[in-house]
Amino acid sequence: MIELSGIVERITYYNEKDGFSVIKFSVNDNEDYKDETVTAVGYFHCLETGERLKLKGDWILHKDYGYQFKTEFYEVITPATINDIEKYLASGAIKGIGPATAKRIVDEFGEKTLEILNSYPDELLKIPGIGEKKLNMITKSYEEQREIRDIMLFLQQYGIGPAVAVKIYKKYKEKATQVLKENPYRLADEVEGIGFKTADYIAQKMGIENNSMERLEAGLKYTLLKAADEGHVFLPADKLLYKTSELLGVESELLNQPLLALEEKEEIVIDRSWGSSEVYLAAFYYLEKSIARKLFLLAQMIDKPLEITDETINEIEKLCKIQLAKRQREALEKAAQNGVIVITGGPGTGKTTTIQSLLKFFEKHKLKAALAAPTGRAAKRMAEATGKEAKTIHRLLEYNAFEHGAMAFGKNQESLLEEDVIIVDEMSMVDITLMYHLLSAVKPGARLILVGDKDQLPSVGPGSVLKEIIESDKISTVVLDEIFRQAQESMIVVNAHRINKGYFPYLNVKDKDFFFEQVLSPEDILETILEMVKERLPNYGNFDPFEDIQILTPMKKGIVGVINLNERLQHILNPPSTSKKECKYHGQLFREGDKVMQIKNNYEKEVFNGDLGRITNIDEDDDIVTVTFQDIQQEKNVTYCGQEIEELNLAYALSVHKSQGSEFPAVIIPITTSHYVMLQRNLLYTAVTRAKRLLVLVGSKQALTLSIQNNRALKRYGHLSDRIIEEFSCGIYPT
């Protein structure tokens, strides 16, 4: 690691949110670069022109701007001479002191100026132009600078850079060092962007014992959070102890006491209701119980059944110019009679048509209905199919960004939705957190209609909400099981149902839309896919490689995993050009024109996990990426600065999980035995149902057979079904 000392000549760019900066730095004590002005980049805080710094880092080569010094650590050097002190004060680093005041202060106190600022700030009142108000401003500004420097120096001795230090300081201010010394594991709970592993690294560097109570408790909570990332609402106690002992490298017996301590502090709930000990993060326990209770109340609180007859349904058929199947008519009847119903079915079974007929029915009864879906793309499809406004669930609930981007909604139990009917599509994607917020906002007496495909992959977040509601057998459910004649013409639809039932699909039927190309090695599969995207499909069906063709793959890594496919597809579809600017973040190269996906919910920017867009501009100087997203009704531009870029991924290829809620004109799926661990029937079924006009499988029949035969989807730990049964069996209806 190289060390440079010198003066900040100019601040070219500064991002207030994360402190990322580009500076011109005059080096004065490194023989190789002495008296040179270099460009330095890194994360700085409260930086001012004229400050003396010691930088530690390495040189990097930027393709347009040449060599830059990438700063990993830095410290502010206290000015040593009277001239340096005056330059420092005159730089504007301290609020309330400009060049004229700086000169007067130094003239008065000379070399003792910084000692006066540190220990005897009231002495500044001797200086003309400094009164009590200005003195307070000066001392507050100087103290804040000293605090952030102290925390940075404190962390640097443990190998933690300024980017993390700034986050910690913004959270704890002057108490940051004290918090770290007392319990660095608080960072994992309280500071956005700092997880258990970073907190544990800091703690280990600080010499905290492996078996300390703080570490053991933090490890247990981290294991539960990781389980939630995998879809689990709780973990059996024995599994939790085993996984945490592996994570921390301690005996599982040591974890019994911290587990009980977390229960005592109400950070977790140990539920012993079902014959074993099951451990929840407290929030998930109460979410699960609340969902069951709210479903029971909505089901019971319906004012009265709506009148519906065969004549009514016949009239709706005429208005919609359709003929409803037996199960669709049943859905109308149950919607008239019940407060909550579920409508489930595979592709081509008429879910959208059922929604259209329901809207007409409720319209006849002068009931106001709202349409919603979990993602923008799903809501857009819903709106196009029904001709009615549809919103994302977040937008329906009037989401807000709380501190640290937490989820909060304007519509809740204190400000209920006004609509009499709420129809939610793509329910398989809804996790327990979003379901809780939705139910909280539905007014008593309103009808809730949940539509989705129970056989698709469950939500990315914890829980299997749709599946467990159906399994409870307490919520009125209609299963649409008839494939309509028009849908029967599509091999995509026919084969999706065959795969779902465990049958081998019909392959390469002439003039149809479902194709299989036998290619054995992953390397050859990759080359076949690249050829298809670049030439064969555009020539075959006039498919646009950017707008129409989507690669879906089960795995992130490997030759035909998401990462490698994206790199290769980017190279052939959006190659380097002098007219296209680029930036690199965490090893991923982004280029103007790239197809990208938002990979986490950002309530502040109003973009959500799964939204697809195109990079329309990159400002290489300031590390700013602008993405144009197609919103439900219009395009919108969203900018990402510095660390925010980590919210984007290239999207030429997507994981099957990330494709949920979306449909694409043409889908290509690599299917290889090298993806053995992910060859699952519901994953293949979900991928196939994403295609509208063309589906191509590229791989081996052996891998295809293994996928269809493997119906052992990962069991998610949750008790929503049991809690719904419990509520309906002994729930008390409020009078």
Side-chain angles (χ1 to χ4, degrees):
M1 197 172 280
I2 299 166
E3 190 172 296
L4 303 177
S5 294
I7 298 172
V8 179
E9 294 286 348
R10 188 171 81 250
I11 300 168
T12 306
Y13 171 75
Y14 176 69
N15 184 331
E16 287 188 15
K17 190 169 183 181
D18 60 13
F20 180 79
S21 307
V22 180
I23 65 173
K24 293 297 181 184
F25 189 68
S26 178
V27 182
N28 59 21
D29 77 337
N30 185 300
E31 287 302 320
D32 293 331
Y33 310 102
K34 192 168 184 179
D35 298 326
E36 285 188 32
T37 298
V38 302
T39 300
V41 298
Y43 294 90
F44 300 88
H45 184 75
C46 295
L47 203 60
E48 296 291 345
T49 302
E51 285 194 281
R52 289 185 174 273
L53 306 178
K54 182 184 289 183
L55 310 181
K56 292 181 182 178
D58 289 297
W59 292 102
I60 57 172
L61 180 61
H62 190 283
K63 76 177 188 67
D64 290 329
Y65 300 104
Y67 282 99
Q68 298 177 334
F69 190 79
K70 185 177 181 183
T71 307
E72 299 294 342
F73 305 102
Y74 81 94
E75 62 179 285
V76 178
I77 302 170
T78 304
T81 67
I82 290 175
N83 190 40
D84 285 344
I85 293 170
E86 184 177 335
K87 279 184 179 177
Y88 165 62
L89 296 181
S91 70
I94 301 171
K95 292 176 184 175
I97 300 179
T101 305
K103 187 174 188 323
R104 287 197 292 270
I105 292 172
V106 173
D107 286 347
E108 175 71 29
F109 300 113
E111 292 179 354
K112 293 185 176 181
T113 296
L114 296 183
E115 183 184 345
I116 295 295
L117 278 167
N118 278 312
S119 305
Y120 311 102
D122 287 352
E123 290 291 304
L124 294 178
L125 292 170
K126 294 178 181 178
I127 306 299
I130 297 182
E132 290 288 349
K133 188 175 179 181
K134 185 172 275 193
L135 177 65
N136 286 337
M137 184 192 299
I138 292 168
T139 52
K140 185 179 178 182
S141 177
Y142 186 73
E143 184 64 28
E144 183 176 309
Q145 285 206 25
R146 192 169 62 179
E147 285 164 3
I148 186 64
R149 287 167 188 165
D150 287 347
I151 184 67
M152 283 184 174
L153 286 171
F154 177 77
L155 282 170
Q156 283 180 28
Q157 65 183 311
Y158 301 114
I160 303 300
V164 173
V166 169
K167 288 181 179 179
I168 294 170
Y169 176 74
K170 284 185 174 179
K171 174 67 180 176
Y172 300 113
K173 301 294 183 186
E174 72 281 355
K175 295 180 181 176
T177 304
Q178 178 188 337
V179 166
L180 284 165
K181 287 179 177 176
E182 288 175 356
N183 182 8
Y185 292 102
R186 281 180 60 182
L187 302 179
D189 289 337
E190 299 170 0
V191 182
E192 186 190 16
I194 297 181
F196 169 79
K197 290 186 177 178
T198 301
D200 194 41
Y201 176 80
I202 294 171
Q204 299 284 291
K205 289 276 188 177
M206 290 173 66
I208 289 179
E209 295 290 331
N210 266 5
N211 59 356
S212 71
M213 198 69 161
E214 293 85 358
R215 184 170 188 259
L216 300 180
E217 287 182 11
L220 286 164
K221 286 191 288 184
Y222 174 74
T223 303
L224 287 171
L225 283 169
K226 289 295 288 181
D229 288 342
E230 295 168 5
H232 302 299
V233 182
F234 69 81
L235 279 180
D238 56 350
K239 188 175 283 286
L240 170 64
L241 296 177
Y242 174 75
K243 283 178 172 287
T244 308
S245 69
E246 277 198 325
L247 169 75
L248 300 179
V250 300
E251 295 295 323
S252 59
E253 290 76 16
L254 284 174
L255 295 165
N256 289 317
Q257 187 180 348
L259 187 69
L260 294 174
L262 287 172
E263 184 182 28
E264 180 71 23
K265 289 189 279 190
E266 299 183 349
E267 293 185 45
I268 64 168
V269 173
I270 304 176
D271 190 355
R272 302 170 178 87
S273 307
W274 316 99
S276 59
S277 294
E278 292 157 345
V279 187
Y280 291 76
L281 287 167
F284 290 155
Y285 175 77
Y286 295 111
L287 287 176
E288 196 176 67
K289 284 182 72 72
S290 292
I291 290 169
R293 179 65 178 166
K294 289 173 187 296
L295 284 170
F296 167 71
L297 292 176
L298 277 175
Q300 300 300 316
M301 283 185 172
I302 197 71
D303 293 333
K304 60 179 180 179
L306 299 173
E307 184 182 349
I308 188 164
T309 63
D310 286 341
E311 289 74 20
T312 307
I313 297 175
N314 293 339
E315 188 180 341
I316 288 168
E317 287 180 325
K318 286 179 184 175
L319 287 169
C320 296
K321 297 177 182 176
I322 53 173
Q323 185 172 353
L324 296 173
K326 179 183 175 184
R327 295 293 187 193
Q328 290 177 308
R329 295 172 78 95
E330 181 188 340
L332 275 171
E333 291 164 357
K334 288 195 171 180
Q337 296 161 359
N338 295 279
V340 185
I341 73 162
V342 172
I343 300 169
T344 184
T349 57
K351 294 191 294 294
T352 300
T353 305
T354 306
I355 292 172
Q356 289 172 324
S357 60
L358 285 167
L359 287 171
K360 285 294 181 189
F361 172 69
F362 291 126
E363 196 178 293
K364 279 179 63 66
H365 285 274
K366 295 183 169 48
L367 296 181
K368 189 178 177 184
L371 300 180
T375 67
R377 292 176 73 88
K380 186 179 179 185
R381 288 204 335 266
M382 200 179 186
E384 289 169 349
T386 61
K388 303 287 185 182
E389 181 186 23
K391 299 178 179 179
T392 61
I393 298 172
H394 293 91
R395 189 160 289 162
L396 177 71
L397 300 181
E398 298 177 5
Y399 58 82
N400 294 305
F402 259 15
E403 187 182 5
H404 306 313
M407 192 188 298
F409 296 99
K411 292 298 180 184
N412 50 46
Q413 55 264 45
E414 293 170 3
S415 178
L416 298 169
L417 291 165
E418 296 174 358
E419 287 83 1
D420 307 297
V421 181
I422 313 294
I423 302 177
V424 184
D425 199 7
E426 295 286 358
M427 264 301 299
S428 62
M429 296 178 65
V430 177
D431 63 21
I432 64 163
T433 305
L434 190 55
M435 187 63 175
Y436 165 80
H437 286 291
L438 174 65
L439 290 172
S440 297
V442 179
K443 69 181 182 182
R447 283 171 165 78
L448 179 65
I449 298 171
L450 309 175
V451 184
D453 185 344
K454 64 181 175 62
D455 295 317
Q456 284 194 26
L457 289 171
S459 57
V460 174
S464 300
V465 174
L466 179 65
K467 189 176 179 184
E468 289 207 65
I469 289 174
I470 294 170
E471 283 177 355
S472 74
D473 204 25
K474 294 295 181 183
I475 302 296
S476 187
T477 299
V478 179
V479 180
L480 303 178
D481 53 9
E482 181 181 328
I483 305 175
F484 283 85
R485 187 173 300 159
Q486 186 178 354
Q488 288 175 358
E489 296 297 311
S490 167
M491 280 297 115
I492 295 172
V493 172
V494 170
N495 282 334
H497 285 275
R498 288 184 65 80
I499 289 166
N500 198 31
K501 292 174 182 175
Y503 302 140
F504 202 79
Y506 300 122
L507 303 180
N508 303 332
V509 178
K510 188 179 179 183
D511 298 327
K512 294 295 183 180
D513 53 10
F514 191 107
F515 297 96
F516 175 83
E517 185 148 335
Q518 175 90 351
V519 183
L520 297 181
S521 75
E523 292 82 2
D524 289 340
I525 293 172
L526 173 62
E527 294 306 319
T528 302
I529 289 173
L530 296 179
E531 184 188 356
M532 283 183 172
V533 172
K534 189 176 181 183
E535 295 175 6
R536 286 169 59 182
L537 293 195
N539 292 335
Y540 169 77
N542 200 28
F543 291 106
D544 182 279
F546 278 92
E547 301 299 328
D548 298 334
I549 302 172
Q550 186 62 58
I551 315 301
L552 301 182
T553 181
M555 301 285 280
K556 284 186 179 179
K557 297 180 180 178
I559 293 170
V560 285
V562 171
I563 296 169
N564 190 53
L565 275 166
N566 270 321
E567 287 180 3
R568 294 294 302 275
L569 287 162
Q570 180 191 48
H571 186 73
I572 66 167
L573 295 179
N574 191 29
S577 166
T578 53
S579 64
K580 296 175 185 174
K581 288 174 280 188
E582 300 177 348
C583 78
K584 200 166 190 178
Y585 194 83
H586 283 186
Q588 187 168 209
L589 177 71
F590 294 104
R591 184 176 294 128
E592 287 178 343
D594 272 337
K595 183 177 178 180
V596 292
M597 172 178 270
Q598 175 79 14
I599 60 169
K600 63 181 286 191
N601 290 335
N602 188 318
Y603 303 99
E604 217 170 311
K605 295 183 185 294
E606 300 185 17
V607 284
F608 301 99
N609 191 353
D611 285 352
L612 291 170
R614 293 281 290 273
I615 295 177
T616 46
N617 187 60
I618 293 176
D619 186 330
E620 293 171 312
D621 285 346
D622 295 343
D623 217 9
I624 298 173
V625 174
T626 302
V627 179
T628 299
F629 291 95
Q630 182 63 52
D631 202 355
I632 293 174
Q633 293 166 329
Q634 61 186 9
E635 288 186 346
K636 65 176 179 182
N637 294 322
V638 180
T639 58
Y640 298 80
C641 305
Q643 288 178 315
E644 294 174 346
I645 299 170
E646 69 188 6
E647 296 181 12
L648 296 174
N649 267 355
L650 292 174
Y652 300 99
L654 300 175
S655 69
V656 179
H657 282 88
K658 287 291 185 185
S659 73
Q660 284 179 271
S662 298
E663 282 186 347
F664 310 97
V667 170
I668 303 173
I669 305 169
I671 186 154
T672 167
T673 51
S674 66
H675 288 169
Y676 182 80
V677 69
M678 294 298 286
L679 294 178
Q680 298 169 3
R681 187 189 298 174
N682 68 338
L683 191 138
L684 176 62
Y685 171 72
T686 301
V688 167
T689 57
R690 299 306 90 204
K692 288 198 291 187
R693 289 166 46 200
L694 183 70
L695 188 286
V696 184
L697 293 168
V698 182
S700 71
K701 288 186 179 178
Q702 180 190 7
L704 180 56
T705 302
L706 287 170
S707 283
I708 295 164
Q709 289 176 345
N710 180 11
N711 198 28
R712 297 183 302 278
L714 176 69
K715 163 71 177 170
R716 289 190 167 194
Y717 292 114
H719 275 305
L720 180 58
S721 178
D722 296 315
R723 296 193 194 283
I724 293 171
I725 293 168
E726 188 176 59
E727 281 289 346
F728 276 79
S729 300
C730 56
I732 299 171
Y733 176 66
T735 55

